[in-house]
């Protein structure tokens, strides 16, 4: 209950938009060492995880030929704004392989303008397949059943080894799923509570915007 209350307090201060791995985002945080005491970073979301107050996500961009990644805790009070510049999904649930891909797949302009997304329409899935640099890589990508990567071009023995070590039954492992989530009964209660309070917050935002428009016309 305390965790939910704290989450709603944060959501009342900043708007946490819908986004997915593959979405291009901008995050502004307070930083006493930056000009204006603010720091804004733009990048593609390559990973997200955690639950509740421990939810987090990682943005990646290439700046001056150097890959830069920042992990944000979603409910960190230093975050001032989260903006989705382009809402979309990718073919994989994690894009950490961009660390071994060509820089062009992780390079985004800090002045990028937001792309509008129609309400009540499906989130587009970007079918892009990225090209990785030559080995060595940070991970054994041939063992991960990746859909968003071009043919790795490895000898057949690598794929045979990957098939031998594969654990396809894990997606049916109920205990593993339970450890990574909460029980359904508690989840439903939380969702109902969060939805009700989120609606109230949105109503207050609309009223505030209308009030500001009326004052500006006077």
């Amino acid at each position: 209950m305390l965790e939910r209350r704290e989450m709603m307090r944060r959501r009342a201060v900043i708007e946490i938009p819908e986004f997915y791995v593959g979405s291009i985002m901008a995050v502004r945080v307070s930083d006493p060492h930056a000009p204006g005491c603010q720091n804004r970073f733009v990048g593609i979301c390559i990973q997200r995880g955690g639950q509740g107050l421990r939810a987090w996500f990682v943005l990646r961009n290439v700046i001056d030929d150097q890959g830069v990644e920042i992990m944000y805790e979603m409910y960190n009070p230093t975050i001032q704004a989260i903006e989705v510049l382009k809402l979309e999904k990718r073919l994989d649930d994690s894009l950490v392989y961009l660390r071994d891909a060509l820089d062009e797949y992780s390079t985004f302009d800090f002045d990028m303008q937001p792309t509008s997304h129609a309400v009540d329409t499906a989130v587009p899935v970007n079918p892009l397949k990225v090209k990785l640099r030559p080995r060595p890589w940070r991970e054994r990508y041939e063992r991960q059943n990746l859909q968003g990567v071009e043919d790795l071009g490895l000898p057949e023995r690598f794929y045979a080894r990957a098939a031998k070590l594969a654990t396809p039954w894990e997606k049916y492992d109920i205990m593993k799923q339970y450890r990574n989530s909460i029980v359904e009964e508690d989840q439903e209660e939380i969702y109902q509570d969060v939805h009700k309070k989120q609606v109230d917050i949105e109503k207050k935002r609309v009223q505030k915007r209308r009030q500001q428009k009326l004052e500006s016309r006077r």
Side-chain angles (χ1 to χ4, degrees), residues 16-72:
I16 299 179
E18 174 187 12
F19 70 94
Y20 303 88
V21 169
S23 296
I24 303 170
M25 306 168 62
V27 177
R28 189 175 75 249
V29 300
S30 60
D31 183 352
H33 305 292
C37 295
Q38 292 182 352
N39 191 358
R40 183 176 182 268
F41 185 79
V42 173
I44 182 172
C45 180
I46 65 170
Q47 202 175 17
R48 64 180 298 180
Q51 296 178 353
L53 287 175
R54 291 167 292 281
W56 54 268
F57 59 97
V58 178
L59 299 188
R60 175 179 173 82
N61 203 342
V62 174
I63 305 171
D64 295 332
D65 299 323
Q66 179 66 46
V68 179
E69 295 181 7
I70 300 180
M71 185 184 79
Y72 295 99

Side-chain angles (χ1 to χ4, degrees), residues 100 132-142 152-154:
D100 290 305
L132 300 186
R133 296 190 183 91
R135 297 174 65 216
W137 300 321
R138 290 170 174 79
E139 298 184 19
R140 296 277 193 171
Y141 296 122
E142 73 276 9
L152 300 176
L154 297 174

Side-chain angles (χ1 to χ4, degrees), residues 7-157:
M7 288 170 60
M8 296 315 302
R9 285 178 180 173
R10 286 296 299 149
R11 284 181 175 269
V13 175
I14 67 167
E15 183 176 358
I16 299 179
E18 174 187 12
F19 70 94
Y20 303 88
V21 169
S23 296
I24 303 170
M25 306 168 62
V27 177
R28 189 175 75 249
V29 300
S30 60
D31 183 352
H33 305 292
C37 295
Q38 292 182 352
N39 191 358
R40 183 176 182 268
F41 185 79
V42 173
I44 182 172
C45 180
I46 65 170
Q47 202 175 17
R48 64 180 298 180
Q51 296 178 353
L53 287 175
R54 291 167 292 281
W56 54 268
F57 59 97
V58 178
L59 299 188
R60 175 179 173 82
N61 203 342
V62 174
I63 305 171
D64 295 332
D65 299 323
Q66 179 66 46
V68 179
E69 295 181 7
I70 300 180
M71 185 184 79
Y72 295 99
E73 295 176 341
M74 196 176 301
Y75 292 96
N76 190 317
T78 62
I79 294 181
Q80 298 180 341
I82 300 175
E83 183 182 8
V84 176
L85 303 178
K86 187 175 183 181
L87 181 65
E88 66 178 17
K89 299 178 181 179
R90 289 292 184 93
L91 298 174
D92 299 301
D93 295 331
S94 174
L95 301 182
V96 294
Y97 53 73
L98 289 180
R99 296 165 180 168
D100 290 305
L102 301 178
D103 288 349
E104 62 189 80
Y105 298 109
S106 299
T107 303
F108 302 95
D109 191 343
F110 270 59
D111 295 324
M112 177 179 177
Q113 296 300 311
T115 301
S116 60
H117 177 75
V119 181
D120 297 330
T121 59
V123 177
V125 178
N126 189 335
L128 177 69
K129 290 182 178 289
V130 307
K131 181 177 180 59
L132 300 186
R133 296 190 183 91
R135 297 174 65 216
W137 300 321
R138 290 170 174 79
E139 298 184 19
R140 296 277 193 171
Y141 296 122
E142 73 276 9
R143 301 179 184 180
Q144 299 181 22
N145 191 30
L146 300 174
Q147 304 299 312
V149 175
E150 290 186 4
D151 180 45
L152 300 176
L154 297 174
E156 185 57 34
R157 70 177 187 276

